Amino acid sequence: MGRYRAPRPRGTPLITAAGEARLRAELDDLWRKERPVVALAVQDAAKNGDRSENGDYIYGKKRLREIDGRVRFISKRLEVLQVVREPPTDKERIFFGATVEVEDQHGTQQSFTILGPDEFESSRGEVSIDAPIARALLGKSIGDCVNLESPGGLRELEVLAVAYRHS
C-alpha cells in the first residue's frame, strides 16, 4: 500500500474567537471566491481539446482538489472546535490563551502565547497547546521551574510572567 498515509493526530480542539473567525474567513474565501475562478478556468481549458497535454487543465484540476480538500478539512474541524472566549478564573497559572515569559538556565528569556493547533503562528511568537513546551508549562505559576527535553538538550525553564489577553 504505497499510498497509505497514517491519519494525522487530532490536535486539541481549542481555538480563540479570533482564530475561529480567521478559519471561517478562509473557508468563505476558498468556497466563494477562489473555487469559482479556478472552476471557470478548468472549464475554459477543457474546451481547448486534448486534456492530457493541457497544462492549464491539469494544474486547474489539481488546484480544485487542493481547495476541496482544505474546504473539507476546515468544515469538519469547525464542527469539533471549542471556542474559548473567556480567560480562566485563575490568571496566575498557565492555561490555554496565556502569554508566558520564561527564562532558561543560561539567562535567555523567551515570550510566547499558547494557542490552538489551528491558529498558532510561530513567527508571531505563538505556540500550539500541543507543543512540548506548552504541555510542560500547563498548570504552572510564576516562579515554577520545569525541565524540557529539546533538540539542543535538557533545558530548565523558570516561569517569569503569565498574562491573558482580553477577548
Side-chain angles (χ1 to χ4, degrees), residues 16-33:
T16 62
E20 180 197 30
R22 281 193 301 273
L23 273 182
R24 289 193 185 281
E26 179 185 356
L27 178 63
D28 186 62
D29 187 55
L30 286 171
W31 190 248
R32 295 184 191 276
K33 295 177 184 167

Side-chain angles (χ1 to χ4, degrees), residues 143-163:
D144 287 350
C145 292
V146 296
N147 290 321
L148 177 68
E149 188 66 43
S150 69
L154 189 65
R155 292 175 60 195
E156 184 178 319
L157 302 174
E158 179 184 357
V159 179
L160 301 178
V162 178

